[in-house]
Amino acid sequence: MLRIRLERYQALHDGLRWRSVTMVIGGGLATVVGTFGLVVGILLLVVPSDDAFPWRAGLVVGLFIGLFPFVAGIALVWRGIERRVRLGKFRELVAFGGSRTSFEAADLVATLQLSPRDAHLLVVDAVSHGLVFDDGGPSPPAAPSFRFQPETTPMLPLGRSVASGHAPTQLGGAAAASLPGPGAPPPAMRTAAAASPEAWIGTVLNDTYIVDTLLGTGGMGAVYAARNRRTGRRYAIKTLLHDARLEPDAIKRFEREATAASAIGHPNIIGVHDFNETRDGVHYMVMDLLDGETLEQRLSKVGAMSWREARARGLELTSALAAAHARGLLHRDLKPANVFLARSPDAAGRSVDRAVLLDFGLVKQMDDANVSRITATGAAVGTPMYMPPEQARGEQVDVRSDVYGLGAVLYEMVTGTPPFFDRTLASVYAKLLTTQAPPASSLSRRPLPPAFDHLLACALAKTPAERFATMPAFARALASIEPTESRAAG
């Protein structure tokens, strides 16, 4: 399996960029000198003269001051352009492989739209520059794809609200020693469950939900597919351990995730149907079980979306966020991992995607005093690659902070990379606070409408006053681009 050396990328990037610029400039000067020498040499050759000296001088000047420098200059310009193209390929390779534990050359074929031969040559080139190395390990198993099925029957009393699509949390500790209710595992199995999330499969939560399969694990719990033992209806259940390792406010965040937006009732916000705690202190929430994958998983496969698809998903997300804002709620953690692409058949029986907003664990009421991204311990929470500058500084946030987060997600949809990407979090924070993101059209492999660059520049502005004032204003600007420009841009 192949791995990326992120610590090597910046030096390699700077070196290749400097050499490419030097070669293009040097080659251009040599081409100009060579052109001048060719002209002088030709003039000396064609000027009538009884003396042989002008003819000999013309031949020497034409060859050594004209032709040779001209050919060398063209070769240098070509090599400089080649290095610039190589730098772009390395940037795409780092964006693709930097967020993965490991990958194979075959994974680059579909994601970077390369032929198998070009993918192999790119890996060989990256290895020769020390950017990629082979750890000799086996191929990892495929990441699980969450399956959520939309509800078609009445919801439980909690109603339709928000839920988490975070990489769920890993179970561990004494809190997972047992589960109450009929069908609970024997003591030996309950002991294993403390260390293994898979051991929960087959157990029953509070005499109601039978845990069927493990969908995914994370740092503080897990997400399972489960069914109601009385109705047979299937759900997704997210668990959170009552563990001493958790922050003091972790359970409060979990409860807030389950209840804060329960009154929104929006088709692009996942529904939460129950929230409870077992007698052993295991908190869990019961959510819609949908069929599909997260936007993060989709982008890891395809690299980037078409403009039309990104626009459609973006309009769905602006609608969801506008509904949350109308209830006085800020999401504060927008990123591809928190957007689920639910698959369902349309009227013609074709499978279509629907963006569903996940994870309101960081949701805040807008009228909370000094709403910020700083916890009681003084630590900033969230994801810096999608975090607006004011949140990174711990300042007060409002709806325009969600505008920035959605702008960053849209940016990655069409480019395959976040607005700010670097090898260390410190570098990401530095770019986030001091530099402007490059235009999406400069990174996208497909042509984009010119107005799309302007829209993202507005959404990703450093100061909130320069952004769209509301989510509906963002939606109107996004929708207005489509009629003529999207057809021209593809």
Side-chain angles (χ1 to χ4, degrees):
M1 296 302 295
L2 303 173
R3 298 178 186 270
I4 297 287
R5 285 192 175 98
L6 291 177
E7 70 279 3
R8 170 67 177 147
Y9 172 69
Q10 191 61 49
L12 178 62
H13 176 276
D14 294 343
L16 282 176
R17 182 173 59 179
W18 182 85
R19 284 194 293 272
S20 68
V21 171
T22 301
M23 286 181 174
V24 170
I25 293 176
L29 291 175
T31 302
V32 171
V33 171
T35 301
F36 177 78
L38 281 173
V39 172
V40 172
I42 291 173
L43 291 176
L44 289 173
L45 287 173
V46 300
V47 171
S49 176
D50 295 333
D51 191 358
F53 175 78
W55 184 86
R56 294 190 184 118
L59 186 63
V60 172
V61 169
L63 286 176
F64 294 100
I65 302 180
L67 183 62
F68 290 165
F70 181 83
V71 173
I74 293 296
L76 276 175
V77 171
W78 177 261
R79 291 296 299 275
I81 295 174
E82 186 182 54
R83 276 169 169 72
R84 197 69 179 180
V85 171
R86 178 186 296 173
L87 180 61
K89 292 294 184 184
F90 284 165
R91 186 185 297 114
E92 292 179 350
L93 178 63
V94 169
F96 168 78
S99 61
R100 293 163 177 77
T101 304
S102 58
F103 65 96
E104 294 179 329
D107 299 332
L108 303 177
V109 174
T111 303
L112 301 186
Q113 299 179 358
L114 300 174
S115 67
R117 178 179 179 275
D118 289 342
H120 174 74
L121 292 176
L122 175 60
V123 170
V124 171
D125 196 15
V127 170
S128 68
H129 282 83
L131 182 61
V132 170
F133 70 99
D134 189 346
D135 63 2
S139 300
S145 177
F146 293 120
R147 293 186 58 83
F148 293 96
Q149 290 180 346
E151 284 298 324
T152 58
T153 54
M155 300 177 184
L156 297 181
L158 183 59
R160 190 148 180 108
S161 88
V162 296
S164 174
H166 261 318
T169 46
Q170 178 178 347
L171 301 176
S178 64
L179 287 174
M189 183 175 182
R190 283 184 264 138
T191 301
S196 173
E198 290 85 354
W200 286 69
I201 297 172
T203 61
V204 180
L205 291 174
N206 287 347
D207 195 24
T208 304
Y209 302 105
I210 303 174
V211 178
D212 290 332
T213 57
L214 175 67
L215 298 178
T217 60
M220 296 182 296
V223 169
Y224 301 88
R227 54 193 163 87
N228 188 300
R229 65 180 305 178
R230 299 179 182 87
T231 66
R233 191 181 309 161
R234 291 177 59 76
Y235 297 97
I237 291 184
K238 179 177 180 179
T239 64
L240 178 70
L241 292 186
H242 182 67
D243 191 0
R245 295 174 301 165
L246 301 180
E247 297 179 22
D249 62 345
I251 295 176
K252 291 183 180 179
R253 291 185 194 172
F254 195 69
E255 293 175 350
R256 184 168 60 228
E257 180 180 355
T259 62
S262 61
I264 296 178
H266 194 279
N268 298 109
I269 296 178
I270 196 171
V272 173
H273 304 283
D274 197 3
F275 174 74
N276 209 336
E277 178 183 1
T278 69
R279 289 191 294 269
D280 297 300
V282 177
H283 291 77
Y284 65 90
M285 70 176 73
V286 182
M287 308 177 294
D288 286 343
L289 187 63
L290 307 174
D291 179 19
E293 61 190 349
T294 65
L295 176 60
E296 182 181 54
Q297 291 170 322
R298 176 71 59 82
L299 293 177
S300 72
K301 296 176 182 177
V302 303
M305 292 181 170
S306 69
W307 153 249
R308 295 177 186 274
E309 186 177 4
R311 173 188 175 276
R313 304 291 81 79
L315 289 174
E316 291 170 343
L317 293 173
T318 57
S319 177
L321 288 165
H325 293 168
R327 296 280 182 171
L329 300 172
L330 300 177
H331 189 280
R332 303 197 307 156
D333 198 21
L334 295 167
K335 57 185 178 181
N338 286 342
V339 176
F340 196 87
L341 302 179
R343 289 188 290 263
S344 58
D346 62 7
R350 296 169 299 185
S351 179
V352 295
D353 287 335
R354 169 173 57 95
V356 179
L357 188 59
L358 310 173
D359 200 340
F360 275 64
L362 297 180
V363 70
K364 274 285 190 179
Q365 290 284 347
M366 294 182 197
D367 56 2
D368 281 359
N370 192 28
V371 175
S372 76
R373 266 282 177 93
I374 301 299
T375 65
T377 61
V381 294
T383 308
M385 290 184 290
Y386 312 95
M387 182 187 298
E390 65 271 17
Q391 290 182 336
R393 292 190 292 262
E395 298 172 354
Q396 189 168 352
V397 298
D398 57 26
V399 297
R400 295 169 296 183
S401 302
D402 278 350
V403 166
Y404 182 100
L406 182 56
V409 171
L410 280 173
Y411 188 101
E412 185 166 356
M413 283 188 192
V414 296
T415 66
T417 185
F420 302 106
F421 177 82
D422 215 322
R423 57 197 177 106
T424 65
L425 282 180
S427 299
V428 171
Y429 274 116
K431 290 183 177 181
L432 168 66
L433 296 173
T434 61
T435 64
Q436 295 293 332
S441 57
S442 68
L443 299 179
S444 174
R445 300 176 66 89
R446 301 181 178 96
L448 298 176
F452 186 65
D453 280 333
H454 176 73
L455 177 136
L456 284 185
C458 181
L460 297 174
K462 296 298 181 187
T463 60
E466 298 178 279
R467 301 177 202 147
F468 297 105
T470 65
M471 199 58 68
F474 192 179
R476 288 192 296 270
L478 181 58
S480 68
I481 299 174
E482 203 277 336
T484 57
E485 295 185 81
S486 65
R487 284 195 291 271

